[in-house]
Amino acid sequence: MRHIVYISSIIFVFHFISCSSKSDVSAIGTYTDFPQEQELKAKTILLDTALFRYPFRLHIGNDKAVVLDLHGTDYFFHALSYPDFHYLSSFGKRGDAPQDMLSAENIRWNGAFWWTLDANKSELTRFELALSGDSLLRQEAVNLDKDILRALDFVMCEDSTFIIPDYSGDNRFCRVDRNGKLMYKFGAIPSVNEDALQNARPALAQAWRSFIDYNPQNGVFAAVTQLGEVLEIYNLKDSTHVVCIGPHGEPEFQVSEGYGIPTGIMGFSDVQVTDNAIYAVFHGRSFQEIARNAQKGTKLDGGQYIYVFSLNGEPLKKYVLDHYVCGISVDEQRGVIYVTDVNRDEPILEYSIKDV
């Protein structure tokens, strides 16, 4: 899936309308553009290691940065010092042994530990820094409830529970306790595709696969769709739920043998909720265009836009990047956005957003 983004600039419009058909939705909004647009030029972070094969995610916790390498040969995760990005160690060994990982979907820092998700083993694993501070040690594994269908992302809440997307199609998300047991499900897929809602919920849920993030400081939980252009915002403190739909609309797909086959565009690939805003990487290229360019030998993974929304879902700014990126990590205090570019040998880039 390789893609370049083109979106025409049109007059900014944003409005909320009440939604009576879905009881859990506080408001639905549409946007057509952003009131501000800014081009950013990257600074390459020079690394002292060449480990990465497909650095998909980058997360920062205190003085450590961890890169998730989806195609890592021996390990899925690599720890670096922050903010100087010196290599420290690798963890999350790839293999079939009991303590190895079969796959890696994401990694989260909860203020004390790093947690990882292995979808193939349906397992969350907690890692803790060694006393030396330069390596991470496996402390425990949590097996997820069998009623949870293939977990592909997760966040941890301040009450030590987890939120995991629900791919049954019956609800939007699962709330899971500290031991991996399903507590309850919440949310509904905010689709207007009544036929799919009635007859193809699992395929609909696949098409609505979303990347998620949560900020315990403000209680905001955000989800962005991998297909189409939909941002959902749940405020877990006041129980409001806002749906923001962009020009490309909701995910488009066809049902084939029970599976949802994408037919529209590649949408978002990462999201981060900071204390002040929501940042999301957007692609926006059709699958037909992706296929045509792949045939021509144009192979660039990632999106060239970072969209910024308020915590209530109002579009604030669109950053236009000079690289195609997959993952982001925003440091608002330092005024920088770090990104991963899987197309380069030096895959970590820094964008300054100070005074822009």
Side-chain angles (χ1 to χ4, degrees):
M1 297 184 293
R2 304 176 182 274
H3 30 282
I4 306 171
V5 179
Y6 298 95
I7 299 179
S8 59
S9 297
I10 49 182
I11 298 175
F12 162 78
V13 178
F14 181 82
H15 66 275
F16 282 127
I17 58 174
S18 62
C19 178
S20 58
S21 61
K22 294 181 175 63
S23 59
D24 70 319
V25 179
S26 302
I28 291 182
T30 61
Y31 64 91
T32 56
D33 207 352
F34 291 76
Q36 298 182 58
E37 181 176 316
Q38 177 73 41
E39 292 185 2
L40 298 180
K41 301 296 183 183
K43 170 187 174 183
T44 299
I45 301 297
L46 298 178
L47 303 173
D48 53 5
T49 181
L51 290 171
F52 307 121
R53 297 187 63 191
Y54 198 96
F56 188 60
R57 287 282 181 262
L58 171 67
H59 290 288
I60 294 172
N62 288 353
D63 60 350
K64 300 291 185 294
V66 174
V67 176
L68 162 58
D69 187 352
L70 282 183
H71 300 164
T73 304
D74 299 312
Y75 295 91
F76 284 109
F77 302 101
H78 307 288
L80 310 170
S81 60
Y82 179 77
D84 49 10
F85 289 96
H86 292 309
Y87 172 74
L88 297 174
S89 64
S90 300
F91 63 102
K93 190 175 186 304
R94 186 175 196 140
D96 297 323
Q99 294 194 353
D100 291 349
M101 298 184 69
L102 297 176
S103 68
E105 319 310 321
N106 213 334
I107 184 167
R108 303 288 183 180
W109 168 251
N110 76 339
F113 307 105
W114 290 94
W115 284 87
T116 67
L117 171 62
D118 183 337
N120 287 347
K121 294 178 72 172
S122 194
E123 183 177 84
L124 291 161
T125 305
R126 179 170 64 89
F127 290 86
E128 185 176 0
L129 283 170
L131 293 177
S132 61
D134 60 359
S135 61
L136 286 100
L137 305 176
R138 188 178 189 270
Q139 295 298 316
E140 69 169 311
V142 175
N143 294 317
L144 294 175
D145 197 309
K146 293 182 179 180
D147 289 333
I148 300 171
L149 296 179
R150 192 169 176 79
L152 294 177
D153 204 351
F154 78 107
V155 295
M156 191 170 191
C157 300
E158 59 270 26
D159 60 355
S160 297
T161 61
F162 303 95
I163 297 178
I164 294 172
D166 175 28
Y167 289 105
S168 70
D170 296 330
N171 292 96
R172 197 74 173 96
F173 301 101
C174 303
R175 196 69 175 253
V176 180
D177 70 17
R178 180 63 173 72
N179 298 313
K181 300 300 181 184
L182 177 63
M183 299 167 62
Y184 59 86
K185 296 182 179 182
F186 67 94
I189 299 173
S191 174
V192 297
N193 188 338
E194 293 296 335
D195 181 62
L197 285 168
Q198 292 293 325
N199 304 307
R201 282 183 172 270
L204 181 67
Q206 293 167 23
W208 275 77
R209 179 189 176 179
S210 297
F211 301 107
I212 61 178
D213 194 39
Y214 174 68
N215 187 323
Q217 299 301 317
N218 48 39
V220 172
F221 169 74
V224 292
T225 55
Q226 186 179 27
L227 308 177
E229 190 175 349
V230 182
L231 162 68
E232 290 181 77
I233 303 168
Y234 291 80
N235 189 312
L236 302 187
K237 292 187 176 180
D238 64 17
S239 299
T240 56
H241 175 202
V242 172
V243 180
C244 306
I245 304 173
H248 294 282
E250 69 174 80
E252 297 178 13
F253 68 102
Q254 294 178 343
V255 179
S256 176
E257 298 181 355
Y259 292 94
I261 309 300
T263 59
I265 65 150
M266 283 294 296
F268 297 96
S269 65
D270 201 6
V271 62
Q272 182 177 344
V273 182
T274 68
D275 291 347
N276 302 302
I278 299 170
Y279 296 76
V281 177
F282 186 71
H283 298 212
R285 192 172 178 197
S286 72
F287 285 96
Q288 290 180 343
E289 208 170 337
I290 294 168
R292 285 197 301 268
N293 278 346
Q295 291 175 350
K296 296 176 182 178
T298 303
K299 299 178 180 180
L300 288 170
D301 281 353
Q304 209 173 3
Y305 295 94
I306 295 177
Y307 286 177
V308 187
F309 300 87
S310 75
L311 298 177
N312 295 318
E314 299 176 23
L316 300 177
K317 182 174 285 189
K318 175 169 65 177
Y319 291 120
V320 182
L321 311 181
D322 58 347
H323 290 265
Y324 298 90
V325 308
C326 289
I328 57 171
S329 185
V330 183
D331 188 332
E332 286 184 321
Q333 290 187 339
R334 299 183 66 241
V336 294
I337 301 176
Y338 295 100
V339 303
T340 58
D341 180 350
V342 301
N343 309 290
R344 307 177 75 246
D345 292 334
E346 296 289 348
I348 300 179
L349 306 173
E350 176 186 304
Y351 288 101
S352 174
I353 55 173
K354 292 180 179 178
D355 303 321
V356 297

